[in-house]
Amino acid sequence: MHSGAKTNYLLQANLKQNRIKHLIWIVVLVGLFASAAIKFNVLFGTQSDITAIVQTLKLPAMVSLFGEFTATKPYTTANVFASEMLVFIGMFMVFMNISLAITNTRAAEDSGLLEMVRARSVGRLALLYATTIEIILINVVMAGMYIGSLFIAQLNGANDEGNFLMGISIASMGILFGFLSLLMGQLMNDTRSAYFTSYGLYAVLYICRMLTDVSDPKWTWVSPVGWVEKTEIYSQNNWLPVVLMLGLGVGCLLVATRVASNRDIGSGVFSSKEGKATAGSLLSSPIGLVLRLERNSMIGWVFGSLVLGAAYGSIFQTIGDIIGTNPTYKKLLGVSQVHAANRALLLNYLNMLGLFFVVLAVVSGILVVFRLESDEHKGYLEMIHAKKVTKTNLVLSYFLVGVGLSLLVFTSALVSTFFIGNSTLQAPLSSNYFWQTSMGFLPAILFFMGCATALVGIVPKASKLLWGYLAVGVLVKMFGPLMNLPDKYAAISPFGWVGKVPSEAINQQVTILLGLAFIILTILGFVGYNKRDME
């Protein structure tokens, strides 16, 4: 029997199992991409509109998020669209592919499913091959849809080669990190480690891309995350980054195949170290067990948030000098007005970062709370329920760790940003702005954590809907103003309710409402978990 025997059968099974996930990703990402492309000719149809948005995209704050604006004059609507969408859509494609790669391989192996499958006449590498084909298929399909959207939109200044390059380059980014995650799934000893290293590598490369884009864009070539912006779509149409992304991805896949053909099921190249002979006092309680299991990921989230915050804070001086170093503004404004304008610019930047940090915090906390459902599904909690542990105590443990981690991640990122940012400024921002930002965004974090608890407690099978709600809320908040969407659309999530703190005062009504919603949702989750049967 050859190593790839029954690959087709496993591919069909995977496609059937993941069809809903694929559909959601396609609807959200392609829908956003297509709707934005269709509206861009109206939003930025005149040269004055294009000039204004290009000046914004060249600001360090925007470069740190969307990458360097690489187009050359005369600027077109297509140049603006490519600059805004490449890095951002590429990021979500990376998330999709990491999840697909690890879930299909390492997670299936840890759950015992792979062992049952391999007991039949299935090749040793069949699951890896099937996942590889699935990664290629979903990315090719989405690339085709991106390209089709561009041809339908007929962006001003677009060309056929650029349309193809844009769709293919976004898909290539997804394929690269999909294959990289397949490698991590073979190298690491368990699912959590595979996810941690895959997302961790992307985070490190993203920060590297961000710092080099702001300081010296020619060094962005050292980060594969920055390769996608080097395509210079609609101006130079450089295909080299696509070749590099696919080449590196294939290299990772070859190594993953080599490792998979030689290792035993349930093992990894980097095995976990042996534990202590006797358990510590921390493991005598459910919350201690959750803390122990989540220890590595918690350290990674907090450390990553500190580094990311420091990276964003390091460009405070650059942002603050934008108006002050402009001769035109100096003539029009006095010294005090220049300082006020710089401060307003920094506060708006801090608001944008606050939103970004809230998303990171919410994701880190939701993953812990949702672990209750996955651990229950895998049967891990049966051993705990055999002891004198109440269901309330169990759900409380996951809840407290999740909420605590989310608050710690948000605070770490904000503290790091504020401390490093102020150290670069001649006139540091008042600490009141830090507290205003913290308290302004805190209710939004708690609201999402309440939603996660309610879903896990009442309808655990619907818990994944929260990811879609979170993604839509972020996308509408970030891209709504660029697409001239009415403010009412931003109100579909708490991101649109908290306002523009710290440049605006905290809305006390919203704070109270979100706080009450958090308490009610949390209670519903606790009651629901106690009443429903174990899966």
Side-chain angles (χ1 to χ4, degrees), residues 395-439:
V395 68
L396 179 64
S397 301
Y398 283 87
F399 170 77
L400 289 177
V401 174
V403 172
L405 177 59
S406 64
L407 297 180
L408 188 58
V409 166
F410 178 74
T411 304
S412 299
L414 195 59
V415 166
S416 179
T417 300
F418 211 80
F419 179 78
I420 298 297
N422 266 348
S423 68
T424 68
L425 299 175
Q426 292 181 348
L429 296 175
S430 169
S431 59
N432 290 334
Y433 293 124
F434 167 79
W435 294 112
Q436 200 169 343
T437 306
S438 301
M439 301 310 297

Side-chain angles (χ1 to χ4, degrees), residues 286-287 290 368-369 372 390-403 453 522 525-526 529-530:
I287 191 171
V290 177
V368 175
V369 174
L372 174 63
T390 65
K391 295 179 77 173
T392 298
N393 196 0
L394 189 60
V395 68
L396 179 64
S397 301
Y398 283 87
F399 170 77
L400 289 177
V401 174
V403 172
T453 307
T522 301
F526 276 58
Y529 188 75
N530 274 279

Side-chain angles (χ1 to χ4, degrees), residues 238-253:
N238 183 10
W239 288 86
L240 177 60
V242 173
V243 175
L244 292 176
M245 286 187 284
L246 293 178
L248 180 58
V250 171
C252 292
L253 178 62

Side-chain angles (χ1 to χ4, degrees), residues 303-452:
F303 177 76
S305 63
L306 286 169
V307 173
L308 188 64
Y312 278 118
S314 65
I315 62 174
F316 264 33
Q317 181 64 46
T318 307
I319 295 171
D321 285 343
I322 289 173
I323 296 177
T325 55
N326 189 307
T328 303
Y329 284 118
K330 278 188 172 182
K331 290 179 181 178
L332 294 175
L333 303 173
V335 175
S336 60
Q337 288 88 344
V338 168
H339 288 165
N342 277 333
R343 180 174 299 175
L345 196 61
L346 279 172
L347 294 181
N348 284 322
Y349 178 59
L350 198 57
N351 172 262
M352 181 180 65
L353 291 182
L355 171 64
F356 186 48
F357 295 156
V358 166
V359 175
L360 291 179
V362 168
V363 169
S364 67
I366 288 178
L367 286 174
V368 175
V369 174
F370 281 2
R371 193 82 69 190
L372 174 63
E373 188 269 335
S374 62
D375 288 350
E376 178 184 334
H377 181 71
K378 294 173 183 177
Y380 296 163
L381 302 184
E382 292 181 7
M383 294 180 288
I384 297 178
H385 284 298
K387 302 292 184 179
K388 293 181 180 180
V389 178
T390 65
K391 295 179 77 173
T392 298
N393 196 0
L394 189 60
V395 68
L396 179 64
S397 301
Y398 283 87
F399 170 77
L400 289 177
V401 174
V403 172
L405 177 59
S406 64
L407 297 180
L408 188 58
V409 166
F410 178 74
T411 304
S412 299
L414 195 59
V415 166
S416 179
T417 300
F418 211 80
F419 179 78
I420 298 297
N422 266 348
S423 68
T424 68
L425 299 175
Q426 292 181 348
L429 296 175
S430 169
S431 59
N432 290 334
Y433 293 124
F434 167 79
W435 294 112
Q436 200 169 343
T437 306
S438 301
M439 301 310 297
F441 282 107
L442 176 63
I445 297 175
L446 295 178
F447 173 81
F448 278 105
M449 296 308 300
C451 289

Side-chain angles (χ1 to χ4, degrees), residues 40 50-51 53-59 62-64 66-84 87 209 213-214 217 229-230 232-233 235:
F40 256 58
I50 294 172
T51 302
I53 191 63
V54 167
Q55 289 177 347
T56 302
L57 291 173
K58 287 184 177 182
L59 296 175
M62 302 302 288
V63 170
S64 66
F66 298 114
E68 178 196 9
F69 187 82
T70 58
T72 55
K73 292 182 179 180
Y75 303 131
T76 66
T77 306
N79 295 143
V80 174
F81 181 80
S83 179
E84 288 188 11
V87 173
R209 192 276 314 161
D213 269 341
V214 173
E229 66 191 60
K230 298 299 185 182
E232 300 181 76
I233 294 172
S235 54

